[in-house]
Amino acid sequence: MTTATREVPSFLVERMANVRRRRQDRRGMEGGILKSRIVTWEPSEEFVKNNHVINTPLQTMHIMADLGPYGKLGYKKYEHVLCTLKVDSNGVITVKPDFTGLKGPYRIETEGEKQELWKYTIENVSSLAQPEEEEREQRVFKDLYGRHKEYLSSLVGTDFEMTAPGALRLFVNGEIVSAQGFEYDNLYVHFFVELPTTNWSSPAFQQLSGVTQTCATKSLGMDRVAYFSYPFTFEASFLHKDESTDALPEWPVLYCEVLSLDFWQRYRVEGYGAVVLPATPGSHTLTVSTWRPMELGTVAELRRFFIGGSLELEDLSYLWIPGTFKGERLSRFGLRTETTGSVTFRLHCLQQSRAFMESSSLRKKMRSVLDRLEGFSQQSSIHNVLEAFHRARRRMQEARESLPQDLLSPSGTMVS
């Protein structure tokens, strides 16, 4: 009986070898993934060199206790680490766990035939440093702090910008926090700061206006709130030129306009608001109530709902007293408005002036200006109280004059 042998082509042999090699590689990769260690607790010198690990030389000592039962001492499973001491090349000693101090003792519970509880404390019983060593250490610390102070001074430099004599510089880092209580969704805020026309100025590059991003609202209780968290910053300078004591300086005003934009790109004015910037430095949170002009009738509301758009103010400074207004009384009679929502601002104000550090007569002269500036809100409230008192006194005088004279006369005759 004869058997016939058939030679396998070389390309099939090579293909089968490649398939077998890929299977072996796949098994090796799977085994490597299962056995790989993410953290290398004891890196070798070659591993440290290849991975550029910052490795500070350490000397380590363990204080251990053998808590095995009688007759079974020397077994590794009964050994417990009580404390670990590490000293690096910089002379820093690390004790883990820390000295007991006022804390309770540390506890170790053993497992085995009979469970035992061990308590121990770690105390620092080293002798106190000698006065010479403490003095040397204080000198080293003093020298270190002095060098650090010089380093910080070099970073700041000597070209610290100062204000002009008699001037006050105002820095404001603000944030539009949120808007709530408005009718429509997808809100954005247009805002700007108006400086008084007299004695106030700002750098040419300074931007005093801005527009926030469009923000969707979320339910918070009974209201819907849009959180903007939009930051802005600006600076302005006040130069006191009027030496009269009766001159009350004006303060910058922050205007805001809240608008909504829907899916069909229809925008609506949701409200206008204005507030005077705080006259005192520090952090302030202001809530500005808003209103919008409105038309009477159903047609205007239908137009606002379906088409978008509404009555708008041509000049937002009309919310306050416009800087171009020269009269005595500003009348808004005939303007129909509707109360809408509110906008929350968070302002961090910083003031800079030479009057804070000078002790000459210029400081006394400028001090009155700063007092008037810082007490602007207080003087406004006092002015309002005095004005209300004068109005009440005027009404009392008019009522007194309208009464019959016989009621006012104490010697009036009685008729029986």
Side-chain angles (χ1 to χ4, degrees):
M1 183 177 179
T2 61
T3 58
T5 60
R6 191 173 183 179
E7 184 178 359
V8 180
S10 60
F11 71 92
L12 290 178
V13 175
E14 185 177 357
R15 181 176 298 177
M16 292 173 64
N18 292 334
V19 172
R20 191 181 299 111
R21 191 181 303 110
R22 283 196 297 270
R23 289 178 179 175
Q24 292 177 356
D25 294 342
R26 191 178 299 112
R27 292 195 193 100
M29 291 175 61
E30 293 175 355
I33 293 175
L34 295 176
K35 297 180 181 179
S36 63
R37 293 179 298 174
I38 299 177
V39 179
T40 304
W41 296 104
E42 297 179 357
S44 61
E45 295 183 2
E46 184 178 0
F47 177 84
V48 172
K49 186 183 299 182
N50 293 335
N51 293 274
H52 304 282
V53 178
I54 300 177
N55 188 15
T56 305
L58 293 174
Q59 293 183 359
T60 306
M61 182 183 74
H62 301 286
I63 301 177
M64 307 183 66
D66 191 345
L67 305 181
Y70 181 76
K72 295 184 179 180
L73 299 178
Y75 290 91
K76 189 174 182 180
K77 63 179 181 179
Y78 297 124
E79 294 179 353
H80 296 270
V81 178
L82 302 181
C83 181
T84 302
L85 302 177
K86 294 183 180 180
V87 182
D88 60 11
S89 59
N90 298 322
V92 178
I93 302 177
T94 305
V95 181
K96 186 178 181 180
D98 199 2
F99 297 116
T100 305
L102 300 178
K103 300 181 296 184
Y106 296 106
R107 300 158 56 97
I108 296 179
E109 296 183 5
T110 60
E111 298 179 357
E113 300 176 359
K114 183 171 60 176
Q115 187 175 6
E116 296 179 343
L117 175 64
W118 298 80
K119 297 182 179 180
Y120 69 98
T121 60
I122 302 175
E123 298 180 0
N124 182 13
V125 296
S126 302
S127 58
L128 298 178
Q130 298 296 326
E132 295 81 5
E133 296 179 354
E134 293 183 355
E135 185 178 357
R136 188 184 311 113
E137 184 180 7
Q138 292 295 331
R139 287 199 301 267
V140 172
F141 283 151
K142 187 176 181 180
D143 183 39
L144 177 62
Y145 293 151
R147 293 182 180 180
H148 185 65
K149 184 178 179 180
E150 293 177 358
Y151 171 72
L152 295 179
S153 300
S154 64
L155 293 179
V156 175
T158 58
D159 299 332
F160 188 76
E161 186 176 357
M162 294 294 295
T163 58
L168 174 69
R169 181 178 295 174
L170 174 65
F171 298 89
V172 176
N173 292 323
E175 176 189 1
I176 301 179
V177 181
S178 61
Q180 62 180 5
F182 293 97
E183 183 179 1
Y184 289 90
D185 200 354
N186 298 325
L187 304 175
Y188 65 97
V189 180
H190 170 227
F191 66 96
F192 71 94
V193 177
E194 183 186 34
L195 300 179
T197 56
T198 57
N199 300 338
W200 282 92
S201 62
S202 63
F205 61 88
Q206 186 67 62
Q207 187 174 1
L208 299 178
S209 63
V211 181
T212 67
Q213 76 279 10
T214 303
C215 183
T217 59
K218 61 182 296 186
S219 298
L220 183 64
M222 299 296 294
D223 294 331
R224 297 191 62 84
V225 185
Y227 293 97
F228 298 100
S229 299
Y230 183 85
F232 63 92
T233 180
F234 69 91
E235 68 171 277
S237 298
F238 172 78
L239 182 60
H240 181 62
K241 298 178 181 179
D242 192 359
E243 299 295 337
S244 62
T245 57
D246 297 333
L248 184 64
E250 300 179 3
W251 205 251
V253 181
L254 176 61
Y255 297 90
C256 65
E257 178 186 13
V258 184
L259 303 102
S260 62
L261 184 67
D262 62 7
F263 175 78
W264 301 102
Q265 300 299 314
R266 297 174 299 189
Y267 81 96
R268 303 173 178 88
V269 175
E270 299 295 332
Y272 297 99
V275 64
V276 180
L277 295 180
T280 56
S283 299
H284 307 272
T285 301
L286 306 177
T287 301
V288 182
S289 300
T290 61
W291 55 268
R292 68 177 181 89
M294 63 174 299
E295 296 181 81
L296 294 180
T298 310
V299 177
E301 294 300 323
L302 291 175
R303 186 188 305 113
R304 173 179 168 84
F305 179 81
F306 288 104
I307 304 177
S310 58
L311 292 179
E312 301 180 16
L313 296 179
E314 295 183 359
D315 185 6
L316 292 185
S317 62
Y318 188 73
L319 298 170
W320 204 254
I321 301 177
T324 57
F325 180 72
K326 302 299 181 181
E328 296 181 357
R329 296 179 182 178
L330 178 62
S331 176
R332 295 187 178 91
F333 181 75
L335 177 62
R336 298 183 181 273
T337 61
E338 178 185 13
T339 302
T340 54
S342 61
V343 182
T344 302
F345 292 89
R346 184 179 293 117
L347 304 177
H348 304 278
C349 303
L350 175 66
Q351 296 179 3
Q352 179 189 11
S353 177
R354 291 189 180 184
F356 295 132
M357 57 180 295
E358 294 179 355
S359 58
S360 60
S361 59
L362 177 61
R363 178 178 181 179
K364 298 180 181 179
K365 187 183 302 181
M366 187 61 191
R367 194 172 188 178
S368 61
V369 178
L370 294 176
D371 290 342
R372 290 202 300 272
L373 289 174
E374 294 177 356
F376 179 73
S377 58
Q378 299 177 2
Q379 292 189 15
S380 298
S381 61
I382 294 174
H383 177 73
N384 294 335
V385 171
L386 292 177
E387 187 177 357
F389 172 77
H390 288 310
R391 287 199 302 266
R393 184 177 180 182
R394 195 180 306 113
R395 287 196 298 267
M396 290 179 62
Q397 291 177 353
E398 292 174 358
R400 185 181 180 90
E401 293 175 357
S402 62
L403 290 176
Q405 295 296 327
D406 55 353
L407 295 178
L408 300 177
S409 177
S411 59
T413 59
M414 296 181 60
V415 179
S416 57

